[in-house]
Amino acid sequence: MKQALASGAGSSLKSTEFEMSDRDFKDIAAMLYADAGIYMPESKTTLVYSRLVKRLRALNLESFREYCDLVGSPDGSDERREMLSALTTNVTRFFREPHHFEHLSAHVLPPLLELARRGGRVRLWSAACSTGPEPYSMALTVLGLEPNAASLDIRILASDIDPRVVEEGRRGVYPVAALVEAPVALRKRYFAGVGGDERRGLQASEELRRLVVFRTLNLNGAWPMPGKFNVIFCRNVVIYFDEQTQQTVWSKFAAKLERGGVLYIGHSERVTGPAAARFASDGVTAYRLREGDGA
Ligand SMILES: C[S@@+](CC[C@H](N)C(=O)[O-])C[C@H]1O[C@@H](n2cnc3c(N)ncnc32)[C@H](O)[C@@H]1O
């Protein structure tokens, strides 16, 4: 069994435990693009190999060709989901890019909370929520301003293409270290040790979880939610899409925002294409739908 990773001509990996040919890589990349809109350039061959090699071992397969045949067949739909889980990057943390939560708290939530106190409907969306720290950080920010939020008509949709991370988010259990960036008072009030024991992790309280609704949703598929959103966080996901796919997603977000709605994006992302004209900059990587739009 050969262990060293060596890249041959094109994208093929030879001298590895399993050979991955150019064709294998291209087939996997094409399936990932078709399923999730994620663009995998040839420079990511080693990454694809290292993320999928465990799957080949678990399934006792002999080659990447066999794996491609399996995930490309009707019988391989479960494994196709496993492949998607293995190839998506789920890195996230509580209060990541803290300036967004400061902006949300100072400039966006106050009028929305007024609206909710008068009986209005307020909707926020974490559109690639991974295991949940982002939507829970949004919920903690809401509760920091309005402790009764869960009894008002305020909800946060937390969605991701990967059902595994969605399930983790729904459970809402994190190691203590994951919450160090959360404001101490909010962490103490809305998280408690599992079974009273913090060594088993901190679990989001019932009240916090009531604000957040987790769903599996592909940003490049149909969006079944009928209503619009006041705030959308779509951070650190479109970087995995090609330019055309990004532009389509930005336009769909613009159409899904209420009048004056705000879109937060990742620090290395920018709104491009026809949707760019519909947004005005409202801070660092924060955009507000232009006046007159979103009616
Ligand atoms: C790097 S994480 C970002 C998490 C969070 N937004 C943050 O910034 O901390 C990217 C997430 O996007 C999800 N993702 C990838 N393609 C997607 C798609 N087409 N639709 C919805 N989610 C997708 C992945 O499953 C992953 O959980």
PDB file of all heavy atoms in Angstrom, residues 36 38 88-93 96 128 130 134 160-162 217-220 235-237 241, ligand 1:
ATOM      1  N   ALA A  36     -24.520  21.197  -5.582  1.00  0.00           N
ATOM      2  CA  ALA A  36     -24.412  22.304  -4.626  1.00  0.00           C
ATOM      3  C   ALA A  36     -23.983  23.613  -5.257  1.00  0.00           C
ATOM      4  O   ALA A  36     -23.969  24.644  -4.577  1.00  0.00           O
ATOM      5  CB  ALA A  36     -23.413  21.926  -3.534  1.00  0.00           C
ATOM      6  N   ILE A  38     -21.024  24.171  -6.032  1.00  0.00           N
ATOM      7  CA  ILE A  38     -19.656  24.404  -5.554  1.00  0.00           C
ATOM      8  C   ILE A  38     -18.679  24.091  -6.687  1.00  0.00           C
ATOM      9  O   ILE A  38     -18.736  23.017  -7.290  1.00  0.00           O
ATOM     10  CB  ILE A  38     -19.346  23.529  -4.318  1.00  0.00           C
ATOM     11  CG1 ILE A  38     -20.264  23.953  -3.163  1.00  0.00           C
ATOM     12  CG2 ILE A  38     -17.876  23.628  -3.933  1.00  0.00           C
ATOM     13  CD1 ILE A  38     -20.156  23.089  -1.922  1.00  0.00           C
ATOM     14  N   THR A  88     -17.813  19.662   1.712  1.00  0.00           N
ATOM     15  CA  THR A  88     -18.117  21.039   2.111  1.00  0.00           C
ATOM     16  C   THR A  88     -17.244  21.410   3.309  1.00  0.00           C
ATOM     17  O   THR A  88     -16.865  20.552   4.106  1.00  0.00           O
ATOM     18  CB  THR A  88     -19.614  21.211   2.489  1.00  0.00           C
ATOM     19  OG1 THR A  88     -19.990  20.147   3.361  1.00  0.00           O
ATOM     20  CG2 THR A  88     -20.500  21.205   1.275  1.00  0.00           C
ATOM     21  N   THR A  89     -16.948  22.690   3.393  1.00  0.00           N
ATOM     22  CA  THR A  89     -16.128  23.199   4.500  1.00  0.00           C
ATOM     23  C   THR A  89     -17.068  23.858   5.494  1.00  0.00           C
ATOM     24  O   THR A  89     -17.789  24.797   5.139  1.00  0.00           O
ATOM     25  CB  THR A  89     -15.097  24.209   3.952  1.00  0.00           C
ATOM     26  OG1 THR A  89     -14.275  23.500   3.035  1.00  0.00           O
ATOM     27  CG2 THR A  89     -14.251  24.821   5.046  1.00  0.00           C
ATOM     28  N   ASN A  90     -17.086  23.350   6.721  1.00  0.00           N
ATOM     29  CA  ASN A  90     -18.092  23.800   7.697  1.00  0.00           C
ATOM     30  C   ASN A  90     -17.515  24.703   8.793  1.00  0.00           C
ATOM     31  O   ASN A  90     -18.175  24.950   9.798  1.00  0.00           O
ATOM     32  CB  ASN A  90     -18.760  22.577   8.354  1.00  0.00           C
ATOM     33  CG  ASN A  90     -19.358  21.618   7.340  1.00  0.00           C
ATOM     34  OD1 ASN A  90     -19.001  20.443   7.279  1.00  0.00           O
ATOM     35  ND2 ASN A  90     -20.254  22.116   6.509  1.00  0.00           N
ATOM     36  N   VAL A  91     -16.291  25.194   8.585  1.00  0.00           N
ATOM     37  CA  VAL A  91     -15.652  26.018   9.629  1.00  0.00           C
ATOM     38  C   VAL A  91     -16.542  27.217   9.986  1.00  0.00           C
ATOM     39  O   VAL A  91     -17.014  27.940   9.100  1.00  0.00           O
ATOM     40  CB  VAL A  91     -14.290  26.561   9.130  1.00  0.00           C
ATOM     41  CG1 VAL A  91     -13.674  27.509  10.150  1.00  0.00           C
ATOM     42  CG2 VAL A  91     -13.346  25.412   8.825  1.00  0.00           C
ATOM     43  N   THR A  92     -16.743  27.417  11.260  1.00  0.00           N
ATOM     44  CA  THR A  92     -17.578  28.526  11.725  1.00  0.00           C
ATOM     45  C   THR A  92     -17.255  28.797  13.184  1.00  0.00           C
ATOM     46  O   THR A  92     -16.562  27.993  13.816  1.00  0.00           O
ATOM     47  CB  THR A  92     -19.078  28.181  11.566  1.00  0.00           C
ATOM     48  OG1 THR A  92     -19.854  29.326  11.899  1.00  0.00           O
ATOM     49  CG2 THR A  92     -19.514  26.987  12.435  1.00  0.00           C
ATOM     50  N   ARG A  93     -17.695  29.923  13.712  1.00  0.00           N
ATOM     51  CA  ARG A  93     -17.569  30.142  15.155  1.00  0.00           C
ATOM     52  C   ARG A  93     -18.564  31.211  15.619  1.00  0.00           C
ATOM     53  O   ARG A  93     -19.085  31.983  14.805  1.00  0.00           O
ATOM     54  CB  ARG A  93     -16.159  30.529  15.602  1.00  0.00           C
ATOM     55  CG  ARG A  93     -15.325  31.274  14.687  1.00  0.00           C
ATOM     56  CD  ARG A  93     -13.971  31.649  15.258  1.00  0.00           C
ATOM     57  NE  ARG A  93     -13.600  32.926  14.694  1.00  0.00           N
ATOM     58  CZ  ARG A  93     -13.176  33.055  13.450  1.00  0.00           C
ATOM     59  NH1 ARG A  93     -13.038  32.008  12.675  1.00  0.00           N
ATOM     60  NH2 ARG A  93     -12.887  34.247  12.971  1.00  0.00           N
ATOM     61  N   ARG A  96     -18.323  35.290  14.844  1.00  0.00           N
ATOM     62  CA  ARG A  96     -17.287  35.431  13.816  1.00  0.00           C
ATOM     63  C   ARG A  96     -17.515  36.772  13.114  1.00  0.00           C
ATOM     64  O   ARG A  96     -18.659  37.138  12.842  1.00  0.00           O
ATOM     65  CB  ARG A  96     -17.470  34.290  12.812  1.00  0.00           C
ATOM     66  CG  ARG A  96     -16.475  34.266  11.702  1.00  0.00           C
ATOM     67  CD  ARG A  96     -16.797  33.111  10.765  1.00  0.00           C
ATOM     68  NE  ARG A  96     -15.670  32.773   9.949  1.00  0.00           N
ATOM     69  CZ  ARG A  96     -15.669  31.766   9.056  1.00  0.00           C
ATOM     70  NH1 ARG A  96     -16.738  31.026   8.898  1.00  0.00           N
ATOM     71  NH2 ARG A  96     -14.600  31.515   8.354  1.00  0.00           N
ATOM     72  N   ALA A 128     -26.240  29.988   5.364  1.00  0.00           N
ATOM     73  CA  ALA A 128     -25.307  28.840   5.278  1.00  0.00           C
ATOM     74  C   ALA A 128     -24.782  28.670   6.692  1.00  0.00           C
ATOM     75  O   ALA A 128     -23.672  29.055   7.027  1.00  0.00           O
ATOM     76  CB  ALA A 128     -24.180  29.116   4.293  1.00  0.00           C
ATOM     77  N   SER A 130     -24.032  26.280   8.803  1.00  0.00           N
ATOM     78  CA  SER A 130     -23.129  25.254   9.319  1.00  0.00           C
ATOM     79  C   SER A 130     -23.727  24.653  10.617  1.00  0.00           C
ATOM     80  O   SER A 130     -24.933  24.426  10.671  1.00  0.00           O
ATOM     81  CB  SER A 130     -21.711  25.820   9.504  1.00  0.00           C
ATOM     82  OG  SER A 130     -20.827  24.781   9.827  1.00  0.00           O
ATOM     83  N   GLU A 134     -23.481  30.765  13.969  1.00  0.00           N
ATOM     84  CA  GLU A 134     -23.910  32.039  13.379  1.00  0.00           C
ATOM     85  C   GLU A 134     -25.371  32.378  13.752  1.00  0.00           C
ATOM     86  O   GLU A 134     -25.624  33.466  14.286  1.00  0.00           O
ATOM     87  CB  GLU A 134     -23.713  32.004  11.860  1.00  0.00           C
ATOM     88  CG  GLU A 134     -24.093  33.306  11.183  1.00  0.00           C
ATOM     89  CD  GLU A 134     -23.781  33.258   9.683  1.00  0.00           C
ATOM     90  OE1 GLU A 134     -22.644  33.563   9.299  1.00  0.00           O
ATOM     91  OE2 GLU A 134     -24.683  32.879   8.912  1.00  0.00           O
ATOM     92  N   ASP A 160     -28.782  25.204   5.778  1.00  0.00           N
ATOM     93  CA  ASP A 160     -27.513  24.758   5.189  1.00  0.00           C
ATOM     94  C   ASP A 160     -27.837  23.576   4.286  1.00  0.00           C
ATOM     95  O   ASP A 160     -28.832  22.867   4.497  1.00  0.00           O
ATOM     96  CB  ASP A 160     -26.538  24.333   6.303  1.00  0.00           C
ATOM     97  CG  ASP A 160     -25.091  24.256   5.819  1.00  0.00           C
ATOM     98  OD1 ASP A 160     -24.743  23.280   5.114  1.00  0.00           O
ATOM     99  OD2 ASP A 160     -24.313  25.168   6.125  1.00  0.00           O
ATOM    100  N   ILE A 161     -26.982  23.353   3.318  1.00  0.00           N
ATOM    101  CA  ILE A 161     -27.209  22.233   2.394  1.00  0.00           C
ATOM    102  C   ILE A 161     -26.912  20.876   3.052  1.00  0.00           C
ATOM    103  O   ILE A 161     -27.429  19.844   2.626  1.00  0.00           O
ATOM    104  CB  ILE A 161     -26.334  22.397   1.124  1.00  0.00           C
ATOM    105  CG1 ILE A 161     -26.827  21.473   0.009  1.00  0.00           C
ATOM    106  CG2 ILE A 161     -24.856  22.172   1.423  1.00  0.00           C
ATOM    107  CD1 ILE A 161     -26.179  21.720  -1.326  1.00  0.00           C
ATOM    108  N   ASP A 162     -26.087  20.898   4.101  1.00  0.00           N
ATOM    109  CA  ASP A 162     -25.593  19.655   4.690  1.00  0.00           C
ATOM    110  C   ASP A 162     -26.471  19.254   5.882  1.00  0.00           C
ATOM    111  O   ASP A 162     -26.426  19.887   6.939  1.00  0.00           O
ATOM    112  CB  ASP A 162     -24.133  19.893   5.127  1.00  0.00           C
ATOM    113  CG  ASP A 162     -23.475  18.650   5.698  1.00  0.00           C
ATOM    114  OD1 ASP A 162     -24.185  17.653   5.960  1.00  0.00           O
ATOM    115  OD2 ASP A 162     -22.255  18.686   5.895  1.00  0.00           O
ATOM    116  N   LEU A 217     -31.367  23.356   3.256  1.00  0.00           N
ATOM    117  CA  LEU A 217     -31.742  24.131   2.064  1.00  0.00           C
ATOM    118  C   LEU A 217     -30.506  24.388   1.193  1.00  0.00           C
ATOM    119  O   LEU A 217     -29.453  24.788   1.695  1.00  0.00           O
ATOM    120  CB  LEU A 217     -32.371  25.463   2.480  1.00  0.00           C
ATOM    121  CG  LEU A 217     -32.888  26.316   1.328  1.00  0.00           C
ATOM    122  CD1 LEU A 217     -34.287  26.850   1.650  1.00  0.00           C
ATOM    123  CD2 LEU A 217     -31.978  27.502   1.041  1.00  0.00           C
ATOM    124  N   ASN A 218     -30.655  24.113  -0.088  1.00  0.00           N
ATOM    125  CA  ASN A 218     -29.590  24.358  -1.056  1.00  0.00           C
ATOM    126  C   ASN A 218     -29.757  25.768  -1.625  1.00  0.00           C
ATOM    127  O   ASN A 218     -30.791  26.069  -2.230  1.00  0.00           O
ATOM    128  CB  ASN A 218     -29.694  23.309  -2.180  1.00  0.00           C
ATOM    129  CG  ASN A 218     -28.617  23.459  -3.228  1.00  0.00           C
ATOM    130  OD1 ASN A 218     -27.796  24.374  -3.178  1.00  0.00           O
ATOM    131  ND2 ASN A 218     -28.624  22.545  -4.190  1.00  0.00           N
ATOM    132  N   LEU A 219     -28.761  26.614  -1.446  1.00  0.00           N
ATOM    133  CA  LEU A 219     -28.866  27.987  -1.974  1.00  0.00           C
ATOM    134  C   LEU A 219     -29.021  27.991  -3.485  1.00  0.00           C
ATOM    135  O   LEU A 219     -29.535  28.946  -4.054  1.00  0.00           O
ATOM    136  CB  LEU A 219     -27.627  28.797  -1.580  1.00  0.00           C
ATOM    137  CG  LEU A 219     -27.562  29.221  -0.111  1.00  0.00           C
ATOM    138  CD1 LEU A 219     -26.225  29.874   0.193  1.00  0.00           C
ATOM    139  CD2 LEU A 219     -28.707  30.175   0.218  1.00  0.00           C
ATOM    140  N   ASN A 220     -28.564  26.932  -4.131  1.00  0.00           N
ATOM    141  CA  ASN A 220     -28.676  26.857  -5.591  1.00  0.00           C
ATOM    142  C   ASN A 220     -29.850  25.996  -6.053  1.00  0.00           C
ATOM    143  O   ASN A 220     -29.872  25.535  -7.195  1.00  0.00           O
ATOM    144  CB  ASN A 220     -27.358  26.355  -6.180  1.00  0.00           C
ATOM    145  CG  ASN A 220     -26.252  27.361  -5.912  1.00  0.00           C
ATOM    146  OD1 ASN A 220     -26.412  28.541  -6.197  1.00  0.00           O
ATOM    147  ND2 ASN A 220     -25.163  26.903  -5.311  1.00  0.00           N
ATOM    148  N   ARG A 235     -22.562  34.321   4.744  1.00  0.00           N
ATOM    149  CA  ARG A 235     -21.138  34.596   4.914  1.00  0.00           C
ATOM    150  C   ARG A 235     -20.308  33.344   4.680  1.00  0.00           C
ATOM    151  O   ARG A 235     -20.620  32.254   5.152  1.00  0.00           O
ATOM    152  CB  ARG A 235     -20.905  35.137   6.321  1.00  0.00           C
ATOM    153  CG  ARG A 235     -21.851  36.323   6.633  1.00  0.00           C
ATOM    154  CD  ARG A 235     -21.550  36.983   7.958  1.00  0.00           C
ATOM    155  NE  ARG A 235     -21.459  36.046   9.059  1.00  0.00           N
ATOM    156  CZ  ARG A 235     -20.874  36.307  10.218  1.00  0.00           C
ATOM    157  NH1 ARG A 235     -20.326  37.485  10.427  1.00  0.00           N
ATOM    158  NH2 ARG A 235     -20.829  35.401  11.163  1.00  0.00           N
ATOM    159  N   ASN A 236     -19.246  33.547   3.940  1.00  0.00           N
ATOM    160  CA  ASN A 236     -18.238  32.494   3.750  1.00  0.00           C
ATOM    161  C   ASN A 236     -18.785  31.246   3.089  1.00  0.00           C
ATOM    162  O   ASN A 236     -18.396  30.129   3.436  1.00  0.00           O
ATOM    163  CB  ASN A 236     -17.572  32.175   5.108  1.00  0.00           C
ATOM    164  CG  ASN A 236     -17.070  33.446   5.777  1.00  0.00           C
ATOM    165  OD1 ASN A 236     -16.283  34.177   5.205  1.00  0.00           O
ATOM    166  ND2 ASN A 236     -17.555  33.734   6.970  1.00  0.00           N
ATOM    167  N   VAL A 237     -19.695  31.430   2.151  1.00  0.00           N
ATOM    168  CA  VAL A 237     -20.171  30.287   1.364  1.00  0.00           C
ATOM    169  C   VAL A 237     -20.063  30.549  -0.134  1.00  0.00           C
ATOM    170  O   VAL A 237     -19.634  29.681  -0.879  1.00  0.00           O
ATOM    171  CB  VAL A 237     -21.594  29.842   1.771  1.00  0.00           C
ATOM    172  CG1 VAL A 237     -22.606  30.938   1.616  1.00  0.00           C
ATOM    173  CG2 VAL A 237     -22.039  28.636   0.959  1.00  0.00           C
ATOM    174  N   PHE A 241     -18.567  29.183  -4.840  1.00  0.00           N
ATOM    175  CA  PHE A 241     -19.347  29.137  -6.083  1.00  0.00           C
ATOM    176  C   PHE A 241     -18.592  29.870  -7.195  1.00  0.00           C
ATOM    177  O   PHE A 241     -17.791  30.766  -6.922  1.00  0.00           O
ATOM    178  CB  PHE A 241     -20.710  29.828  -5.900  1.00  0.00           C
ATOM    179  CG  PHE A 241     -21.569  29.275  -4.794  1.00  0.00           C
ATOM    180  CD1 PHE A 241     -22.604  30.031  -4.262  1.00  0.00           C
ATOM    181  CD2 PHE A 241     -21.362  27.998  -4.281  1.00  0.00           C
ATOM    182  CE1 PHE A 241     -23.416  29.534  -3.237  1.00  0.00           C
ATOM    183  CE2 PHE A 241     -22.159  27.492  -3.260  1.00  0.00           C
ATOM    184  CZ  PHE A 241     -23.188  28.268  -2.738  1.00  0.00           C
TER     185      PHE A 241
HETATM  186  C1  LIG B   1     -17.490  27.918   5.854  1.00  0.00           C
HETATM  187  S1  LIG B   1     -19.128  27.524   6.328  1.00  0.00           S
HETATM  188  C2  LIG B   1     -19.730  29.131   6.776  1.00  0.00           C
HETATM  189  C3  LIG B   1     -20.585  29.110   8.021  1.00  0.00           C
HETATM  190  C4  LIG B   1     -21.049  30.468   8.531  1.00  0.00           C
HETATM  191  N1  LIG B   1     -21.846  31.169   7.549  1.00  0.00           N
HETATM  192  C5  LIG B   1     -19.870  31.316   8.943  1.00  0.00           C
HETATM  193  O1  LIG B   1     -19.501  32.254   8.215  1.00  0.00           O
HETATM  194  O2  LIG B   1     -19.288  31.046  10.001  1.00  0.00           O
HETATM  195  C6  LIG B   1     -19.886  27.233   4.736  1.00  0.00           C
HETATM  196  C7  LIG B   1     -21.198  26.465   4.815  1.00  0.00           C
HETATM  197  O3  LIG B   1     -21.852  26.577   3.554  1.00  0.00           O
HETATM  198  C8  LIG B   1     -22.565  25.369   3.320  1.00  0.00           C
HETATM  199  N2  LIG B   1     -22.878  25.290   1.878  1.00  0.00           N
HETATM  200  C9  LIG B   1     -22.063  24.977   0.845  1.00  0.00           C
HETATM  201  N3  LIG B   1     -22.737  24.989  -0.310  1.00  0.00           N
HETATM  202  C10 LIG B   1     -24.024  25.323  -0.007  1.00  0.00           C
HETATM  203  C11 LIG B   1     -25.214  25.488  -0.774  1.00  0.00           C
HETATM  204  N4  LIG B   1     -25.207  25.314  -2.088  1.00  0.00           N
HETATM  205  N5  LIG B   1     -26.350  25.810  -0.134  1.00  0.00           N
HETATM  206  C12 LIG B   1     -26.364  25.995   1.212  1.00  0.00           C
HETATM  207  N6  LIG B   1     -25.277  25.842   1.987  1.00  0.00           N
HETATM  208  C13 LIG B   1     -24.123  25.515   1.392  1.00  0.00           C
HETATM  209  C14 LIG B   1     -21.631  24.300   3.828  1.00  0.00           C
HETATM  210  O4  LIG B   1     -22.310  23.093   4.111  1.00  0.00           O
HETATM  211  C15 LIG B   1     -21.034  24.972   5.069  1.00  0.00           C
HETATM  212  O5  LIG B   1     -21.712  24.598   6.242  1.00  0.00           O
END
